[in-house]
Amino acid sequence: MATGLIDSIQALCIISLAALVAGKVNVIEVDASGTILDLAGQPYYVPFDPVLTVDPSRRSDVPAGFVPVTSITAQYSPITKSFLESQIAAYGNIDDVWTDQFLDSLFISYDGQFTGFFQDEAEEWLQASNISHLYLSSNIRLPKFTSPPVSQIEAGPPAGPYFTMPSPSSSHLDIHAAYRLRKDEYASFLFGAIPDPSGGWIMTNITLDTSNAQYIPVPSRISLLTKSLPLSGMRFALKDIFDVQGLPTGAGSHAYALVNPVPNTTAPSIQYLFSLGATLLGKTRTSQFAHGAQPWEYVDHAYSFNPRADGHLTASASSSGSACAVAGYEWVEFTVGSDTRGSVRKPAAFVGAYGMRPTHGSLYMAGVVPLAEDMDTAGYFARDPRLFSAIGSRWYESSPVRKKRQSIRFPKKLFYPTEHFPVSNPAAQVLYDNFAAALSKHLKITTVPLNFTSSLLDHFPSRNFTEFRLASNTLAEYRSWVTVGKPLIQAYKEKFNSMPTFDPRTRKMFERGAMHRGEDFLAAQRVLRAFSESVSSNLLKADIKSCSDALFMYDASVGGRPSYRVQDYNNIEGAAQALLTGPIDLHGGDAGKPSDYFTYVASMAGLPEITIPLGQVEYYSHVSREWEMLPVAVQVVAHKGCDDMLLSLVEKLAGKEVLEPAKTGRIGSKLLQMRKLPREESDSTHSDALTHCLL
């Protein structure tokens, strides 16, 4: 860390804040790793370590304190007025960190051959501007004017917004990255993160108001785009079960974070995202150890808020923090979660985002807190269908289970489960039927109605769904206990001489896991392997031309009805409690309906599955006392290794304007078409008033 700069800033703050004020910049606070600034009413974060230190030729004219600056790189000479104006306009259009307040000073670098120079009109434009100082790389000829003052430097920083400050111990000028601080109003994050110049990442924990909400440092897209990598400019948030060098991994548990050291390496799956150019913003909340907990079962960390509708809907399973972040914030391009038995797919459906569970084995899962290694996958969420397709194509491109042969057409069949559809909300059913119709129209995929549960029976052990679910539960309970719970309890006792405390769902999972024997686990593995082989050979089969001979669609939410984060709210007429994983009441003999657990098909068979948002339906909220819009999404499942085909399907439908980007906030979808459906005006709990159709 730049301890000299820290001491200088703190000393100046004690003596006089005026010494740190340049133009419209004010110091709000100094924390362990940087300075919080106010620029024209907007909070920014400036790390102590500069990205670059330069030696201006006119040091005496350099303003004191923090100064907002803009850096521009020119490729051609002469440097024209239109070029400078177009760069400034582009910054305003593509970046959510840069504002015109950063035009206080200007860095211009020339990346061409020989010596660069300004067109006369460009010199006049610079002279007439209100910039306080102009810094030029040494290979640019000095302009004729003397005001604003001009300093030559060897080279400027990459394009983007920055803050400069005179070096405290020399005549040099430090250039610091500018991070816009964004409020985490939906409590999606555990903490923010900024790069550590010495390697890895630094955790931030910034609060600015009485709400105690986190403020997340958000880097400039402009600066990130200078990397020229496939995912440059893409900022993402990460579920807190993945290791990142320098950041604690808590897996939703205070006890786990206390016992385990901060990782000094990054999970290979996440390191690969970094190599593709993606930039981390911070870690998101999860249920403890990715167990399928309901919102009211979160104790160590509070449950995130689903941004949609009245703000009190559930976001379902353990990757809910990542789902809420992508649904809530424009400054998050995508988020990463894990999916074992629905933890990406269900949250994506409940927040109305695109979600991906890849074929099992697509990514190396080292450095990830395991739940059930036989089913664990690394998945992701995005709002934009084309970006969603691009991320998956890049992130999984080295997958050892990916089908390398390119599909020349889409599957011919779409399995449409008649015991599952129609869903309880007629307005939502319109969206599902229109989606099937769109696949037929645009991709020549024929809908095949069938009782999918009956088709699955032959693949269950002894044709028994209860045994199938028991095997799935055993895989998760045993693995989580043996790999995580038992070692954690032992380590915690040794360190603190007491028992750790866990959330209610975790306690139950560990209790059941401790009762399983190794033979039970091996038997469950045999069930999984037999089911996987049988489904892949007989139901969702390989096809040389389309990769998968058929697709399977279903609804992973609750049929177009609201489901709430408060347990009692789900007793309101018209609401429904979301189903997650859980124990089976063997005494009552009720394992649930197979159609309520269709997420288990891809989990136990190792299949790829995507969540596609289709639109919204209206429902009356007894919480907000208003009519609200509820997301509706569809699940699409394919044969093993056919991830690319599913991603191509999304991209193709987006090109046909069947699918659109999801929006952030309360209303997640553009209103392209409205269909009036019958409604009993006397019953405000019905949610079938309007369908907002994307098809």
Side-chain angles (χ1 to χ4, degrees), residues 374-375 475 523-533 603-604:
D374 300 280
M375 297 182 285
L475 290 171
Q525 280 189 315
R526 288 194 292 271
V527 170
L528 178 142
R529 285 195 294 268
F531 179 77
S532 177
E533 292 168 7
S603 298
M604 292 286 281

Side-chain angles (χ1 to χ4, degrees), residues 147-167:
S147 179
V150 180
S151 287
Q152 280 196 313
I153 56 175
E154 185 173 343
Y162 298 89
F163 286 97
T164 61
M165 185 177 183
S167 298

Side-chain angles (χ1 to χ4, degrees), residues 408-420:
I408 60 174
R409 61 170 172 77
F410 289 100
K412 291 184 176 181
K413 297 178 293 186
L414 173 69
F415 292 147
Y416 179 94
T418 53
E419 79 280 26
H420 185 73

Side-chain angles (χ1 to χ4, degrees), residues 82-120:
S82 62
F83 168 76
L84 295 174
E85 287 180 331
S86 68
Q87 290 296 290
I88 299 297
Y91 285 12
N93 288 333
I94 68 172
D95 200 24
D96 50 8
V97 174
W98 185 91
T99 71
D100 56 11
Q101 303 295 331
F102 282 90
L103 291 174
D104 188 294
S105 294
L106 193 61
F107 282 83
I108 302 177
S109 300
Y110 175 56
D111 197 24
Q113 293 182 332
F114 309 113
T115 299
F117 64 94
F118 291 103
Q119 188 183 56
D120 290 344

Side-chain angles (χ1 to χ4, degrees), residues 424-427 430 618 627 675-683 686-691:
S424 56
N425 185 338
V430 172
E618 194 179 46
W627 287 91
R675 298 171 186 266
K676 281 284 187 181
L677 295 171
R679 177 174 81 196
E680 295 180 33
E681 297 296 339
S682 60
D683 184 0
H686 284 185
S687 59
D688 58 356
L690 290 173
T691 298

